Amino acid sequence: MNPAGHDESYVQNVPEQTPREQAPPVEPGPPIETTPPIETTPPRISRTRAGSVWASLSAGGVFLVVLLIFVVQNTTSTRIGFLGWHFALPIGVTILVAAVVGVLVMAIAGGVRIIQLRTAFTRLARGHKPGALHD
């Protein structure tokens, strides 16, 4: 039975193969100089300060747009009381002010720690012990 399902005898068409003519042997000639392969990988470009600043400003711009959308969508006023002061602000502005105050507190705490570490490093670099008094 052939692949089509008929009862006819199945004959596969095989091209006749003819013997190839033998090529005459080639005598070795002078050695061929080969060039080294060309490197196809592109050179790596290092990061620059300008590129880092651009990326930071771009990310900051996107963040500000998202923040602006948040503030505009949350305009319902709410009463706020803080240390005897009472005032009404939109919810978006209130949350924004709270976030800014949080960032300032974190920056002050981080700045104090940086000053402590610089002072300790300076003392170690001068050869003073951390608890020793200055002359």
Side-chain angles (χ1 to χ4, degrees):
M1 210 181 264
N2 66 11
H6 300 288
D7 290 332
E8 301 157 4
S9 63
Y10 177 70
V11 178
Q12 186 178 7
N13 292 333
V14 179
E16 293 182 24
Q17 298 199 4
T18 58
R20 294 185 181 173
E21 294 182 18
Q22 295 290 331
V26 178
E27 294 189 24
I32 299 173
E33 292 185 25
T34 58
T35 58
I38 298 173
E39 191 171 322
T40 58
T41 58
R44 186 173 177 150
I45 299 172
S46 62
R47 292 184 181 178
T48 62
R49 285 187 184 179
S52 298
V53 168
W54 179 84
S56 299
L57 289 175
S58 298
V62 170
F63 176 73
L64 287 177
V65 168
V66 170
L67 191 63
L68 179 65
I69 292 169
F70 174 78
V71 170
V72 168
Q73 288 182 346
N74 293 290
T75 57
T76 305
S77 287
T78 185
R79 290 234 352 115
I80 298 172
F82 181 70
L83 298 175
W85 298 325
H86 297 282
F87 43 91
L89 284 176
I91 293 173
V93 174
T94 305
I95 294 174
L96 177 62
V97 169
V100 168
V101 169
V103 167
L104 290 175
V105 168
M106 182 268 317
I108 291 169
V112 169
R113 183 62 182 151
I114 289 171
I115 290 169
Q116 287 176 344
L117 291 173
R118 283 188 181 180
T119 304
F121 182 75
T122 303
R123 286 181 184 161
L124 286 174
R126 289 183 185 163
H128 292 284
K129 294 182 182 174
L133 296 175
H134 290 272
D135 295 312

